Amino acid sequence: MITVLAIDALEYTLVEKFDCNNLKQKYYGKTNISEFSEPRTMVLWSSFMTGKNMEKEILAKGDKDMWNTKLDIKDTFFDQFENPKIIDLPGFSYITDQHDQERKLLKEFFDAQSEEEKGQVRVDYNNLAFEHHRKIKEEFIDVLEADHDFILGYFSVADVIGHLNFGNRTMMKMIYKDLDEIAGSMKNQFIVLSDHGMEQIGIFGDHSNYGFWSTDFKDLGNPGITDFAKIIKEMR
Amino acid sequence: MEYGEIKIPKQMISKIEARLEETGFESVDKYVTFVLEEVIKEVEDEEPEEVFSEEDEEKVKGRLRALGYLD
Amino acid sequence: MDKENLKFVIVGHIDHGKSTLIGRLLYDTDSLPKGKIEEIEQICKSLGKDIEFGYVMDHLEEERDQGITIDTAQIFFNTTKRNYVIIDAPGHVEFIKNMISGASQAEAAVLIVDVDEGVKEQTKRHAYILGMLGLDQVIVVINKMDMVGYERGKFETVKKELLDFLSGINIKPSYIVPISAKEGDLIAGKNENMDWYQGPDFLQALDSFRVKESAKDKPLRFVVQDVYNFDKRIIAGRVESGIIRKGDKIKILPSGEETTVKSVEEFLKNVTEAEAGKSTGIITEDKLFIDRGDVIVHDRDVPVLTNHIRANIFWMDNTPYNKGDTLWFRCATQDVACEIEKISRVINSSTLDLIAEDADEIKNREVADIIIKTDKPVVVENFNTIEELGRFVLRTDDTLAGGIITELVQ
């Protein structure tokens, strides 16, 4: 059974700073995403799944429709598995309602006129993200017990919360520790991968120009996100 | 509360002493402390914090648009 | 009712759990800023977890890294009995400087030792500094008991090692308590794992300590600042300790002349006494020769005049001091020429390493145990008795060192 912990926006420097030893595993490092013009979530995960640079194709859909991308399993490396389970992955099994709601609140936050209003929207936004995270965690734990040859759990909490709260160290640290706990509970071999990391702009977070990877079996060096399709194929 | 000592011109002290009765302060120390507290409050209230977070917000908005989160 | 305040310091090897102990004290006495706890509780709830001390500790460490909260010079927490202040400082050197120059005075000290690591070099150096400060209320906590299965044997071994060392430098701890700051054992009422220990827990030990005697209950020391001759002859000064009252029989030092207090003068007020901390003026029955720097005391409570003083100093100037060089010794308003006659020990203030014994010089940022010889006898006190007359500076044009007096040498 091969498992991937796909953690959106997992930032290399914070994994180190917060001593997330379970996330680090034996080998860890940064991914190379310089081939992409911007570190866009949809573009990156689509490229991950297909093993090729999907930037042009995805961007052609426009900002709105981009989020509704749903690739055919035949175009992804998941196809080689008999019974794969992919939870909430952008571009494949993305829970669009949830994430549409998040973006809606994000817009509301920036449109809000008073500090008070902003504060309230932020609270709602955060609650929405945390609730979803709890649901995903539960589902993921259940799926791990079931009989699949490939499992991918996608965790968006660090990215969603990070955009509005990256400067809140306490919050970010607790999220990272929680993710580290999830990694710690894994019984079988797994890969940790993020599409990009995060960097601070005041209280907010922007995407950084590299992702995070870790394994317990091989030092991957500085892989591109498109290399993972091949890497996982070879693991079988 | 712990106190330190500062030096101010004797002339100023005399002036303050002369004013004490009409102001209701019990001593030069208390008068000067009050005045300084008020001044510092005013200065701190300017809150340069606000300016920075507005800048940050604009910057982030721009980035989120580029990344496709906002249109 | 006004609660008493007790100030204390926590010293020990940097990894032996000092910041966890501080965090635990704040947490267990509910002394953390409300907002912080609420925020952490909220996030815990959002992640579907119960709030744990570990999270609070993480948060406090985060803030410390960013230079907030614990990184201040004083940390406050309260028990029902007292308000406590932990005197702490971000940088080790600052702490030492403040303690040695008497800028902050602790009334008690806590020495923390990791039970698994035992007494380390740093532990010994810290203990030595405590000895230099003349603190006689010391609690030793042997921490991280959770890491050794709360085993009594381990505790007793470290306890013995420590007591052996401490007796050699003349420190007698009032209590030695086994604790786990991380788990909260024997800190504030919780003892689930060490029923072999029958003594008080950490907070109980702290609560048992004496608070510093109030300055006004100490012997009178009125330090003369100026003498004014208007229509009356007013002696202006500061009551560093005790109370001066109309009618008191007093003695002027160093001359030894005696008189009575005719009146106590305070600007715009009608008073008959002035207590410690007040700057005031007095008029004496007899017109004696009194000068700035003189100290007025009660004739029943005369301090020893001396010109040999043992002290600990923190040298703050770039130019080193060479044994025998002349300096000015200033204590309260007394200003006399002096020299450092003996430099018994010199210590590095950041590592607390012993640099030299019976040395010939003291360099910038070094701490030294010295004997000062003043040109004229001065009225001074042991810092732990009357701190206001136990604190001094050494200077030429600039202040070169600050220090505290540990012994009046006969």
Side-chain angles (χ1 to χ4, degrees):
Chain A
M1 198 224 272
I2 299 172
T3 314
V4 175
L5 284 183
I7 304 178
D8 205 301
L10 188 67
E11 168 54 38
Y12 177 96
T13 57
L14 289 189
V15 170
E16 289 202 308
K17 187 168 194 274
F18 297 148
D19 287 320
C20 299
N21 294 317
N22 299 317
L23 285 171
K24 284 190 209 166
Q25 299 197 79
K26 197 164 170 201
Y27 305 101
Y28 68 96
K30 294 183 180 171
T31 61
N32 184 343
I33 52 174
S34 56
E35 63 184 290
F36 302 96
S37 67
E38 286 283 5
R40 295 182 181 87
T41 294
M42 271 304 177
V43 169
L44 291 165
W45 290 116
S46 301
S47 306
F48 157 72
M49 282 185 270
T50 57
K52 18 182 229 198
N53 186 323
M54 296 284 285
E55 182 162 336
K56 210 156 158 214
E57 213 181 299
I58 302 291
L59 288 184
K61 301 186 185 198
D63 274 353
K64 283 218 172 76
D65 278 333
M66 168 173 82
W67 295 102
N68 299 323
T69 303
K70 211 166 168 7
L71 295 177
D72 196 316
I73 192 170
K74 288 207 288 318
D75 296 326
T76 72
F77 72 79
F78 309 147
D79 201 28
Q80 60 189 286
F81 292 97
E82 286 204 15
N83 188 10
K85 176 74 183 168
I86 322 290
I87 304 173
D88 198 17
L89 186 64
F92 189 77
S93 54
Y94 207 41
I95 301 170
T96 42
D97 281 342
Q98 165 71 23
H99 300 294
D100 278 348
Q101 262 274 73
E102 286 161 5
R103 285 197 311 281
K104 185 160 163 275
L105 283 175
L106 193 63
K107 183 171 190 304
E108 257 183 60
F109 175 87
F110 288 107
D111 285 342
Q113 289 308 311
S114 67
E115 281 309 305
E116 222 189 305
E117 225 190 306
K118 278 203 198 304
Q120 187 50 55
V121 176
R122 176 185 265 138
V123 167
D124 293 339
Y125 176 86
N126 290 352
N127 287 339
L128 184 67
F130 280 123
E131 216 195 298
H132 182 66
H133 177 65
R134 284 200 300 279
K135 285 198 202 118
I136 294 289
K137 251 207 293 192
E138 264 177 51
E139 196 188 335
F140 185 63
I141 291 171
D142 284 341
V143 163
L144 285 175
E145 302 294 317
D147 197 17
H148 296 283
D149 51 353
F150 179 80
I151 297 174
L152 183 143
Y154 171 74
F155 299 90
S156 56
V157 68
D159 184 66
V160 179
I161 295 288
H163 278 303
L164 287 190
N165 306 275
F166 197 65
N168 183 338
R169 274 310 203 222
T170 304
M171 199 177 272
M172 294 317 295
K173 188 169 183 176
M174 290 175 79
I175 290 172
Y176 274 64
K177 292 267 172 163
D178 192 67
L179 293 166
D180 195 52
E181 235 177 71
I182 296 172
S185 70
M186 301 291 293
K187 297 195 188 68
N188 297 312
Q189 203 173 54
F190 64 101
I191 295 178
V192 178
L193 178 64
S194 75
D195 47 351
H196 52 75
M198 201 152 250
E199 37 187 56
Q200 196 175 347
I201 301 180
I203 185 81
F204 306 106
D206 185 14
H207 292 181
S208 62
N209 280 309
Y210 50 82
F212 174 90
W213 66 265
S214 81
T215 77
D216 73 344
F217 54 87
K218 188 173 174 194
D219 184 351
L220 304 177
N222 186 222
I225 199 168
T226 46
D227 295 336
F228 282 84
K230 186 156 174 268
I231 292 170
I232 292 172
K233 263 195 188 114
E234 283 166 5
M235 275 169 83
R236 290 185 62 224
Chain B
M1 190 175 268
E2 293 194 37
Y3 290 91
E5 282 181 14
I6 54 164
K7 291 196 182 111
I8 57 177
K10 279 196 173 155
Q11 252 184 1
M12 191 170 277
I13 299 181
S14 311
K15 275 202 183 149
I16 295 172
E17 278 172 353
R19 289 180 61 75
L20 281 183
E21 211 166 352
E22 35 173 286
T23 59
F25 285 95
E26 296 168 300
S27 65
V28 175
D29 286 349
K30 295 207 165 133
Y31 182 100
V32 172
T33 305
F34 174 77
V35 170
L36 289 175
E37 271 173 33
E38 292 300 291
V39 172
I40 291 174
K41 250 196 270 178
E42 252 193 86
V43 171
E44 277 181 348
D45 273 346
E46 273 162 38
E47 278 196 56
E49 287 277 334
E50 275 307 309
V51 178
F52 290 134
S53 64
E54 260 179 57
E55 262 179 49
D56 290 337
E57 232 186 86
E58 283 313 305
K59 204 168 166 198
V60 155
K61 256 161 87 171
R63 287 298 301 148
L64 292 174
R65 274 193 204 106
L67 295 168
Y69 287 96
L70 297 172
D71 35 42
Chain C
M1 191 186 83
D2 260 342
K3 274 198 269 183
E4 298 171 321
N5 289 337
L6 185 89
K7 280 179 163 183
F8 69 97
V9 298
I10 304 180
V11 297
H13 191 286
I14 198 167
D15 294 327
H16 286 195
K18 183 168 128 177
S19 55
T20 312
L21 177 58
I22 294 175
R24 174 57 73 180
L25 284 170
L26 292 173
Y27 186 71
D28 280 0
T29 57
D30 220 15
S31 305
L32 282 161
K34 275 290 165 230
K36 309 278 177 218
I37 291 285
E38 270 155 20
E39 191 185 10
I40 298 172
E41 268 173 357
Q42 252 313 326
I43 303 171
C44 282
K45 218 168 94 177
S46 302
L47 287 170
K49 296 184 147 106
D50 287 321
I51 185 166
E52 275 173 27
F53 172 65
Y55 294 125
V56 174
M57 210 46 229
D58 275 348
H59 170 69
L60 290 173
E61 274 165 6
E62 264 315 302
E63 291 210 317
R64 169 181 233 146
D65 286 345
Q66 293 177 67
I68 327 168
T69 321
I70 294 196
D71 228 31
T72 53
Q74 297 195 323
I75 300 161
F76 303 88
F77 69 94
N78 321 300
T79 60
T80 46
K81 184 168 180 205
R82 282 201 189 117
N83 296 327
Y84 286 103
V85 185
I86 307 176
I87 304 171
D88 197 40
H92 194 60
V93 175
E94 274 311 300
F95 165 66
I96 297 292
K97 180 172 165 187
N98 288 338
M99 294 298 287
I100 298 289
S101 60
S104 48
Q105 198 208 18
E107 300 151 73
V110 175
L111 178 63
I112 188 168
V113 185
D114 177 335
V115 68
D116 216 6
E117 296 232 309
V119 176
K120 297 228 91 104
E121 262 314 299
Q122 223 189 77
T123 311
K124 292 186 182 174
R125 291 181 221 139
H126 275 108
Y128 186 77
I129 288 282
L130 284 185
M132 280 177 102
L133 298 169
L135 289 168
D136 60 359
Q137 299 192 111
V138 178
I139 301 174
V140 171
V141 290
I142 296 184
N143 190 26
K144 305 201 190 179
M145 290 301 297
D146 55 301
M147 301 289 277
V148 297
Y150 301 102
E151 229 193 84
R152 182 177 193 165
K154 294 248 151 75
F155 167 72
E156 296 290 350
T157 308
V158 176
K159 178 177 169 179
K160 182 168 185 308
E161 196 188 344
L162 196 52
L163 281 174
D164 283 343
F165 170 71
L166 291 177
S167 67
I169 53 172
N170 233 337
I171 296 184
K172 227 170 124 277
S174 314
Y175 306 95
I176 303 189
V177 187
I179 64 167
S180 163
K182 185 163 165 230
E183 301 300 325
D185 294 281
L186 283 175
I187 305 272
K190 174 176 162 204
N191 186 11
E192 289 162 14
N193 297 297
M194 291 183 277
D195 54 14
W196 45 263
Y197 176 78
Q198 293 301 314
D201 66 28
F202 180 68
L203 278 183
Q204 284 170 332
L206 262 187
D207 272 347
S208 81
F209 275 168
R210 294 178 329 263
V211 161
K212 205 164 48 111
E213 208 186 344
S214 164
K216 63 178 164 60
D217 296 327
K218 296 183 195 169
L220 172 68
R221 301 286 181 264
F222 178 74
V223 173
V224 179
Q225 283 166 334
D226 261 309
V227 180
Y228 298 114
N229 285 299
F230 302 132
D231 49 341
K232 311 180 258 193
R233 187 164 176 263
I234 299 180
I235 299 159
R238 210 179 114 94
V239 184
E240 296 290 358
S241 63
I243 306 178
I244 193 163
R245 294 187 176 93
K246 176 174 167 178
D248 277 355
K249 286 208 169 54
I250 56 174
K251 197 169 192 146
I252 321 294
L253 296 174
S255 67
E257 305 227 46
E258 294 183 349
T259 181
T260 311
V261 179
K262 184 171 175 187
S263 65
V264 178
E265 307 281 318
E266 200 184 308
F267 187 60
L268 295 181
K269 287 215 181 111
N270 218 344
V271 297
T272 53
E273 70 174 40
E275 54 178 55
K278 264 204 126 46
S279 286
T280 189
I282 64 168
I283 298 178
T284 54
E285 286 289 353
D286 308 285
K287 202 171 161 184
L288 304 171
F289 184 69
I290 298 178
D291 209 4
R292 177 183 165 87
D294 285 351
V295 180
I296 295 176
V297 304
H298 284 139
D299 68 347
R300 61 181 182 274
D301 218 328
V302 186
V304 165
L305 279 163
T306 183
N307 63 351
H308 273 87
I309 299 163
R310 183 173 179 195
N312 292 317
I313 62 168
F314 186 99
W315 193 260
M316 303 189 255
D317 197 73
N318 275 320
T319 313
Y321 175 79
N322 293 308
K323 197 166 91 168
D325 283 354
T326 305
L327 296 167
W328 287 89
F329 171 89
R330 178 188 295 163
C331 176
T333 48
Q334 298 169 97
D335 222 347
V336 301
C338 74
E339 70 176 74
I340 298 180
E341 207 173 56
K342 185 166 158 68
I343 304 173
S344 312
R345 291 172 70 108
V346 181
I347 294 174
N348 178 320
S349 61
S350 51
T351 62
L352 300 183
D353 277 326
L354 175 66
I355 293 173
E357 277 180 303
D358 205 10
D360 288 315
E361 75 168 359
I362 307 168
K363 302 216 274 289
N364 192 15
R365 286 151 87 86
E366 291 177 351
V367 170
D369 179 355
I370 61 174
I371 308 247
I372 298 170
K373 178 158 154 291
T374 55
D375 271 6
K376 291 188 296 198
V378 283
V379 179
V380 291
E381 301 278 355
N382 187 307
F383 184 66
N384 283 299
T385 319
I386 301 181
E387 74 182 76
E388 298 79 4
L389 283 172
R391 190 191 284 131
F392 64 92
V393 297
L394 296 174
R395 53 175 202 93
T396 46
D397 287 318
D398 302 306
T399 301
L400 305 173
I404 56 176
I405 295 170
T406 52
E407 209 186 309
L408 305 179
V409 184
Q410 291 308 319

